[in-house]
Amino acid sequence: MATAINADTIKRLADEVGHETVSLLFNVFSDELHQYLHQLSDQPSVNQVGEISHAIKSSAASFGADELAAMAQECESRVKQGQDEWMTNHLPEFRQMVQGMAKEYKALAADDQFIDRIL
């Protein structure tokens, strides 16, 4: 599942922290997503999904994973509204998104040319 990554966000991040640091941060973000994926795979309660969604939302936005950030926002909102059935039905999709983005950012971290290509 290839998802678009917001190049403008990555450019801003590179400007703020330096191009060399971006790969390190991609690794950290990927590892963080893998930890959340593990939690989401352990039959979490709806409230736990809400907490995980909240945590993913801002991190994903900071790293240009806009679609994941939007899905996390939607999940968090649905949990707050007590829409447990919606959350249960969409949890597999959310897991898949988290897994896909974790893999994508791990691959980007290993791609020395990625930042140069988007700048």
Side-chain angles (χ1 to χ4, degrees), residues 21-89:
T21 307
V22 172
S23 290
L24 173 67
L25 292 177
F26 283 173
N27 268 318
V28 170
F29 180 52
S30 176
D31 291 345
E32 180 181 284
L33 289 178
H34 274 103
Q35 289 175 355
Y36 290 132
L37 180 63
H38 179 72
Q39 292 172 6
L40 290 170
S41 298
D42 284 342
Q43 302 304 322
S45 70
V46 172
N47 286 335
Q48 288 171 316
V49 174
E51 292 169 9
I52 293 166
S53 299
H54 177 77
I56 289 174
K57 177 183 65 180
S58 59
S59 293
S62 296
F63 283 95
D66 295 349
E67 291 176 35
L68 178 59
M71 179 65 165
Q73 169 69 45
E74 185 69 20
C75 291
E76 181 185 25
S77 177
R78 298 288 184 139
V79 168
K80 285 181 181 177
Q81 295 171 24
Q83 296 180 9
D84 295 8
E85 186 175 343
W86 185 94
M87 190 62 259
T88 301
N89 292 337

Side-chain angles (χ1 to χ4, degrees), residues 11-18:
K11 288 175 190 175
R12 277 194 301 277
L13 181 64
D15 287 344
E16 290 174 14
V17 301

Side-chain angles (χ1 to χ4, degrees), residues 2-13:
T3 305
I5 295 174
N6 188 324
D8 290 336
T9 301
I10 300 304
K11 288 175 190 175
R12 277 194 301 277
L13 181 64

